[in-house]
Amino acid sequence: MIDALPPLRYVIRTHDLRAKKSFGQNFLLDLNLTSRIARAAGDLTGADILEVGPGPGGLTRGLLAEGARKVLAVEKDPRCLPALAEIAAAYPGRLQVIEGDALAIDPLAHLRAPIKVVANLPYNVGTELLIRWMTPQSWPPFWESLTLMFQREVAERIVAQPGAKAYGRLALMVQWRAEARIVLTLPPEAFTPPPKVSSAVVHITRLARPRFPAEARTLERVVAAGFNQRRKMLRASLRGLHPQIEALLEAADIRPTARAEEVGLEAWCTLARELDRAR
Ligand code: SAM
């Protein structure tokens, strides 16, 4: 056992935490597994952890047992609070729980650097938060790393390389300023109740600065335009961005007849700079 608290199946029974679809609840009840996910976030000692969607607290317990200095857990379902209070009592002064919607709450006032984010969230909330965490006003962001559970297909989109079917906006947005790896894949049966698809944990580490210079907004615009019509040649899909788009593509060393999925990160950044220069 990782701690002296009761098994999660018992916690769920005593607090009547039947998983609700409306909260996107698929719980991890194996504490060995939640400890593995916690370890995938790297050394936790000396770090504050933002955990979004703790539910009955399996991952929370893993994070605390692995030595996190403090865990701030944001949970939307009030039914989970008594179970989380028991964990807080077992780890005095190290677990703070906020009841609320992670999309509406700013948890930063309660956290001290270095900060790591760890979460097993409903997939739609996870993707929305990932996009926010990857696109702050300024870089570096408040977090050092993000360790997040996704639908496997989304995880593959995050780490995809040029030429792959999964390569697109998400890969470029993340890989421009961070390192991303899939560290664990999980079958549906790892969860209670099992979801329809497999899942994967992605570990994302921020870089001190972007890999290649570019204006974030221009880069996002040009990549979005390219991948919105990914089967088209770039000279067609990017036509709306500039009247001389072919010349700008050539200046960025991109064939105007290439398609978005063939173009690597460095070339997208060069094209974004060419566009800004030409404006
Ligand atoms: N982390 C737990 C685990 O691994 O067993 C629970 C995982 S379950 C997939 C997702 C959790 O996120 C649920 O406890 C759900 O109530 C919570 N949740 C859903 N939407 C949320 C939101 N917008 N803000 C905070 N928590 C949310």
PDB file of all heavy atoms in Angstrom, residues 81-103:
ATOM      1  N   LEU A  81     -15.806  15.882  -2.111  1.00  0.00           N
ATOM      2  CA  LEU A  81     -15.074  16.657  -1.089  1.00  0.00           C
ATOM      3  C   LEU A  81     -14.818  15.891   0.217  1.00  0.00           C
ATOM      4  O   LEU A  81     -13.709  15.970   0.745  1.00  0.00           O
ATOM      5  CB  LEU A  81     -15.788  17.991  -0.823  1.00  0.00           C
ATOM      6  CG  LEU A  81     -15.891  18.896  -2.074  1.00  0.00           C
ATOM      7  CD1 LEU A  81     -16.498  20.252  -1.703  1.00  0.00           C
ATOM      8  CD2 LEU A  81     -14.536  19.094  -2.743  1.00  0.00           C
ATOM      9  N   PRO A  82     -15.789  15.120   0.756  1.00  0.00           N
ATOM     10  CA  PRO A  82     -15.496  14.390   1.998  1.00  0.00           C
ATOM     11  C   PRO A  82     -14.342  13.392   1.834  1.00  0.00           C
ATOM     12  O   PRO A  82     -13.492  13.274   2.722  1.00  0.00           O
ATOM     13  CB  PRO A  82     -16.818  13.677   2.309  1.00  0.00           C
ATOM     14  CG  PRO A  82     -17.868  14.481   1.599  1.00  0.00           C
ATOM     15  CD  PRO A  82     -17.213  15.020   0.370  1.00  0.00           C
ATOM     16  N   ALA A  83     -14.306  12.692   0.689  1.00  0.00           N
ATOM     17  CA  ALA A  83     -13.213  11.736   0.464  1.00  0.00           C
ATOM     18  C   ALA A  83     -11.878  12.477   0.400  1.00  0.00           C
ATOM     19  O   ALA A  83     -10.863  12.028   0.947  1.00  0.00           O
ATOM     20  CB  ALA A  83     -13.451  10.962  -0.830  1.00  0.00           C
ATOM     21  N   LEU A  84     -11.876  13.645  -0.244  1.00  0.00           N
ATOM     22  CA  LEU A  84     -10.636  14.420  -0.365  1.00  0.00           C
ATOM     23  C   LEU A  84     -10.213  14.984   0.996  1.00  0.00           C
ATOM     24  O   LEU A  84      -9.017  15.088   1.292  1.00  0.00           O
ATOM     25  CB  LEU A  84     -10.809  15.542  -1.403  1.00  0.00           C
ATOM     26  CG  LEU A  84     -11.044  15.030  -2.836  1.00  0.00           C
ATOM     27  CD1 LEU A  84     -11.509  16.160  -3.754  1.00  0.00           C
ATOM     28  CD2 LEU A  84      -9.760  14.392  -3.396  1.00  0.00           C
ATOM     29  N   ALA A  85     -11.206  15.308   1.850  1.00  0.00           N
ATOM     30  CA  ALA A  85     -10.893  15.819   3.193  1.00  0.00           C
ATOM     31  C   ALA A  85     -10.168  14.751   4.018  1.00  0.00           C
ATOM     32  O   ALA A  85      -9.275  15.065   4.814  1.00  0.00           O
ATOM     33  CB  ALA A  85     -12.179  16.262   3.893  1.00  0.00           C
ATOM     34  N   GLU A  86     -10.522  13.489   3.804  1.00  0.00           N
ATOM     35  CA  GLU A  86      -9.826  12.415   4.531  1.00  0.00           C
ATOM     36  C   GLU A  86      -8.355  12.332   4.114  1.00  0.00           C
ATOM     37  O   GLU A  86      -7.486  12.082   4.938  1.00  0.00           O
ATOM     38  CB  GLU A  86     -10.508  11.066   4.247  1.00  0.00           C
ATOM     39  CG  GLU A  86     -11.845  10.940   4.970  1.00  0.00           C
ATOM     40  CD  GLU A  86     -12.634   9.687   4.581  1.00  0.00           C
ATOM     41  OE1 GLU A  86     -12.091   8.823   3.845  1.00  0.00           O
ATOM     42  OE2 GLU A  86     -13.791   9.591   5.009  1.00  0.00           O
ATOM     43  N   ILE A  87      -8.106  12.570   2.818  1.00  0.00           N
ATOM     44  CA  ILE A  87      -6.707  12.541   2.347  1.00  0.00           C
ATOM     45  C   ILE A  87      -5.951  13.727   2.947  1.00  0.00           C
ATOM     46  O   ILE A  87      -4.825  13.596   3.414  1.00  0.00           O
ATOM     47  CB  ILE A  87      -6.639  12.574   0.798  1.00  0.00           C
ATOM     48  CG1 ILE A  87      -7.460  11.420   0.221  1.00  0.00           C
ATOM     49  CG2 ILE A  87      -5.200  12.518   0.321  1.00  0.00           C
ATOM     50  CD1 ILE A  87      -7.632  11.474  -1.288  1.00  0.00           C
ATOM     51  N   ALA A  88      -6.613  14.891   2.965  1.00  0.00           N
ATOM     52  CA  ALA A  88      -5.971  16.098   3.532  1.00  0.00           C
ATOM     53  C   ALA A  88      -5.599  15.859   4.997  1.00  0.00           C
ATOM     54  O   ALA A  88      -4.526  16.280   5.449  1.00  0.00           O
ATOM     55  CB  ALA A  88      -6.908  17.298   3.385  1.00  0.00           C
ATOM     56  N   ALA A  89      -6.463  15.142   5.728  1.00  0.00           N
ATOM     57  CA  ALA A  89      -6.181  14.888   7.152  1.00  0.00           C
ATOM     58  C   ALA A  89      -4.984  13.943   7.308  1.00  0.00           C
ATOM     59  O   ALA A  89      -4.226  14.046   8.272  1.00  0.00           O
ATOM     60  CB  ALA A  89      -7.420  14.301   7.815  1.00  0.00           C
ATOM     61  N   ALA A  90      -4.815  13.035   6.325  1.00  0.00           N
ATOM     62  CA  ALA A  90      -3.703  12.083   6.411  1.00  0.00           C
ATOM     63  C   ALA A  90      -2.363  12.722   6.018  1.00  0.00           C
ATOM     64  O   ALA A  90      -1.304  12.183   6.323  1.00  0.00           O
ATOM     65  CB  ALA A  90      -3.984  10.878   5.516  1.00  0.00           C
ATOM     66  N   TYR A  91      -2.429  13.853   5.326  1.00  0.00           N
ATOM     67  CA  TYR A  91      -1.206  14.563   4.889  1.00  0.00           C
ATOM     68  C   TYR A  91      -1.302  16.016   5.358  1.00  0.00           C
ATOM     69  O   TYR A  91      -1.507  16.923   4.527  1.00  0.00           O
ATOM     70  CB  TYR A  91      -1.061  14.518   3.364  1.00  0.00           C
ATOM     71  CG  TYR A  91      -0.706  13.163   2.807  1.00  0.00           C
ATOM     72  CD1 TYR A  91      -1.696  12.295   2.356  1.00  0.00           C
ATOM     73  CD2 TYR A  91       0.623  12.748   2.716  1.00  0.00           C
ATOM     74  CE1 TYR A  91      -1.374  11.045   1.826  1.00  0.00           C
ATOM     75  CE2 TYR A  91       0.957  11.509   2.186  1.00  0.00           C
ATOM     76  CZ  TYR A  91      -0.045  10.660   1.742  1.00  0.00           C
ATOM     77  OH  TYR A  91       0.291   9.439   1.218  1.00  0.00           O
ATOM     78  N   PRO A  92      -1.156  16.264   6.665  1.00  0.00           N
ATOM     79  CA  PRO A  92      -1.438  17.593   7.206  1.00  0.00           C
ATOM     80  C   PRO A  92      -0.670  18.713   6.491  1.00  0.00           C
ATOM     81  O   PRO A  92       0.531  18.606   6.268  1.00  0.00           O
ATOM     82  CB  PRO A  92      -0.996  17.488   8.670  1.00  0.00           C
ATOM     83  CG  PRO A  92      -0.971  16.023   8.971  1.00  0.00           C
ATOM     84  CD  PRO A  92      -0.691  15.318   7.671  1.00  0.00           C
ATOM     85  N   GLY A  93      -1.419  19.743   6.091  1.00  0.00           N
ATOM     86  CA  GLY A  93      -0.807  20.940   5.493  1.00  0.00           C
ATOM     87  C   GLY A  93      -0.344  20.764   4.055  1.00  0.00           C
ATOM     88  O   GLY A  93       0.238  21.674   3.474  1.00  0.00           O
ATOM     89  N   ARG A  94      -0.591  19.595   3.435  1.00  0.00           N
ATOM     90  CA  ARG A  94      -0.033  19.391   2.079  1.00  0.00           C
ATOM     91  C   ARG A  94      -1.085  19.311   0.988  1.00  0.00           C
ATOM     92  O   ARG A  94      -0.740  19.340  -0.197  1.00  0.00           O
ATOM     93  CB  ARG A  94       0.849  18.141   2.063  1.00  0.00           C
ATOM     94  CG  ARG A  94       2.135  18.360   2.850  1.00  0.00           C
ATOM     95  CD  ARG A  94       2.950  17.087   2.949  1.00  0.00           C
ATOM     96  NE  ARG A  94       3.285  16.542   1.653  1.00  0.00           N
ATOM     97  CZ  ARG A  94       3.624  15.262   1.452  1.00  0.00           C
ATOM     98  NH1 ARG A  94       3.656  14.417   2.459  1.00  0.00           N
ATOM     99  NH2 ARG A  94       3.927  14.844   0.240  1.00  0.00           N
ATOM    100  N   LEU A  95      -2.372  19.162   1.357  1.00  0.00           N
ATOM    101  CA  LEU A  95      -3.410  19.096   0.321  1.00  0.00           C
ATOM    102  C   LEU A  95      -4.441  20.190   0.558  1.00  0.00           C
ATOM    103  O   LEU A  95      -5.045  20.268   1.627  1.00  0.00           O
ATOM    104  CB  LEU A  95      -4.113  17.724   0.343  1.00  0.00           C
ATOM    105  CG  LEU A  95      -5.354  17.598  -0.564  1.00  0.00           C
ATOM    106  CD1 LEU A  95      -5.000  17.828  -2.035  1.00  0.00           C
ATOM    107  CD2 LEU A  95      -6.014  16.227  -0.396  1.00  0.00           C
ATOM    108  N   GLN A  96      -4.608  21.033  -0.452  1.00  0.00           N
ATOM    109  CA  GLN A  96      -5.674  22.054  -0.414  1.00  0.00           C
ATOM    110  C   GLN A  96      -6.661  21.730  -1.528  1.00  0.00           C
ATOM    111  O   GLN A  96      -6.246  21.469  -2.668  1.00  0.00           O
ATOM    112  CB  GLN A  96      -5.066  23.442  -0.636  1.00  0.00           C
ATOM    113  CG  GLN A  96      -6.094  24.560  -0.598  1.00  0.00           C
ATOM    114  CD  GLN A  96      -5.475  25.938  -0.883  1.00  0.00           C
ATOM    115  OE1 GLN A  96      -4.249  26.068  -1.023  1.00  0.00           O
ATOM    116  NE2 GLN A  96      -6.315  26.946  -0.989  1.00  0.00           N
ATOM    117  N   VAL A  97      -7.952  21.721  -1.197  1.00  0.00           N
ATOM    118  CA  VAL A  97      -8.961  21.383  -2.199  1.00  0.00           C
ATOM    119  C   VAL A  97      -9.816  22.612  -2.471  1.00  0.00           C
ATOM    120  O   VAL A  97     -10.249  23.292  -1.537  1.00  0.00           O
ATOM    121  CB  VAL A  97      -9.862  20.229  -1.704  1.00  0.00           C
ATOM    122  CG1 VAL A  97     -10.915  19.873  -2.753  1.00  0.00           C
ATOM    123  CG2 VAL A  97      -9.014  18.993  -1.371  1.00  0.00           C
ATOM    124  N   ILE A  98     -10.011  22.924  -3.736  1.00  0.00           N
ATOM    125  CA  ILE A  98     -10.918  24.010  -4.112  1.00  0.00           C
ATOM    126  C   ILE A  98     -12.073  23.381  -4.888  1.00  0.00           C
ATOM    127  O   ILE A  98     -11.835  22.637  -5.854  1.00  0.00           O
ATOM    128  CB  ILE A  98     -10.215  25.062  -4.996  1.00  0.00           C
ATOM    129  CG1 ILE A  98      -9.054  25.698  -4.240  1.00  0.00           C
ATOM    130  CG2 ILE A  98     -11.198  26.132  -5.439  1.00  0.00           C
ATOM    131  CD1 ILE A  98      -8.335  26.788  -5.030  1.00  0.00           C
ATOM    132  N   GLU A  99     -13.287  23.679  -4.455  1.00  0.00           N
ATOM    133  CA  GLU A  99     -14.451  23.182  -5.196  1.00  0.00           C
ATOM    134  C   GLU A  99     -14.774  24.190  -6.295  1.00  0.00           C
ATOM    135  O   GLU A  99     -14.931  25.384  -6.022  1.00  0.00           O
ATOM    136  CB  GLU A  99     -15.662  23.031  -4.264  1.00  0.00           C
ATOM    137  CG  GLU A  99     -16.876  22.513  -5.007  1.00  0.00           C
ATOM    138  CD  GLU A  99     -18.171  22.643  -4.204  1.00  0.00           C
ATOM    139  OE1 GLU A  99     -18.123  22.828  -2.978  1.00  0.00           O
ATOM    140  OE2 GLU A  99     -19.237  22.588  -4.852  1.00  0.00           O
ATOM    141  N   GLY A 100     -14.855  23.724  -7.530  1.00  0.00           N
ATOM    142  CA  GLY A 100     -15.216  24.636  -8.610  1.00  0.00           C
ATOM    143  C   GLY A 100     -14.799  24.110  -9.962  1.00  0.00           C
ATOM    144  O   GLY A 100     -14.227  23.014 -10.071  1.00  0.00           O
ATOM    145  N   ASP A 101     -15.083  24.917 -10.974  1.00  0.00           N
ATOM    146  CA  ASP A 101     -14.796  24.559 -12.363  1.00  0.00           C
ATOM    147  C   ASP A 101     -13.390  25.055 -12.719  1.00  0.00           C
ATOM    148  O   ASP A 101     -13.132  26.265 -12.678  1.00  0.00           O
ATOM    149  CB  ASP A 101     -15.846  25.240 -13.258  1.00  0.00           C
ATOM    150  CG  ASP A 101     -15.659  24.885 -14.713  1.00  0.00           C
ATOM    151  OD1 ASP A 101     -14.589  24.355 -15.075  1.00  0.00           O
ATOM    152  OD2 ASP A 101     -16.585  25.159 -15.500  1.00  0.00           O
ATOM    153  N   ALA A 102     -12.517  24.119 -13.079  1.00  0.00           N
ATOM    154  CA  ALA A 102     -11.130  24.488 -13.386  1.00  0.00           C
ATOM    155  C   ALA A 102     -11.053  25.482 -14.547  1.00  0.00           C
ATOM    156  O   ALA A 102     -10.081  26.228 -14.662  1.00  0.00           O
ATOM    157  CB  ALA A 102     -10.326  23.243 -13.724  1.00  0.00           C
ATOM    158  N   LEU A 103     -12.076  25.521 -15.384  1.00  0.00           N
ATOM    159  CA  LEU A 103     -12.051  26.453 -16.521  1.00  0.00           C
ATOM    160  C   LEU A 103     -12.363  27.879 -16.060  1.00  0.00           C
ATOM    161  O   LEU A 103     -12.115  28.838 -16.780  1.00  0.00           O
ATOM    162  CB  LEU A 103     -13.067  26.020 -17.583  1.00  0.00           C
ATOM    163  CG  LEU A 103     -12.746  24.692 -18.272  1.00  0.00           C
ATOM    164  CD1 LEU A 103     -13.950  24.205 -19.072  1.00  0.00           C
ATOM    165  CD2 LEU A 103     -11.538  24.839 -19.178  1.00  0.00           C
TER     166      LEU A 103
END
